[in-house]
Amino acid sequence: FLSILFMFIQPHAVPKVVRQFQFHRWAPESPLPSSKLALFELIDMVGTSQKQTDNKPIVVTACKYQS
């Protein structure tokens, strides 16, 4: 799942584009994703997105829900 957000740091400034990729194929109780193919598709989506931004740096944050 991909969300694209536009953030304005200052009024009338050029917006910063934030692309948020969400991976929903990882069960909270599992140490591994439920689908290797889906994980590789996510990695490909991130790579494609990075190429579209002239290979500018990206930030990846991983969070796992713990009950």
Side-chain angles (χ1 to χ4, degrees):
F1 179 69
L2 169 63
S3 299
I4 299 178
L5 311 166
F6 297 92
M7 298 179 62
F8 292 89
I9 307 302
Q10 297 177 358
H12 309 293
V14 176
K16 300 287 184 183
V17 178
V18 176
R19 290 174 178 84
Q20 177 183 353
F21 297 89
Q22 296 176 332
F23 186 69
H24 294 278
R25 301 287 303 267
W26 202 314
E29 67 279 355
S30 175
L32 300 172
S34 60
S35 169
K36 292 178 193 175
L37 179 59
L39 183 59
F40 287 126
E41 288 173 350
L42 173 68
I43 292 168
D44 186 53
M45 285 176 60
V46 171
T48 299
S49 178
Q50 187 173 12
K51 288 176 187 172
Q52 292 172 349
T53 61
D54 298 324
N55 288 318
K56 292 180 181 171
I58 60 169
V59 175
V60 178
T61 303
C63 300
K64 185 174 179 185
Y65 172 76
Q66 295 288 338
S67 58

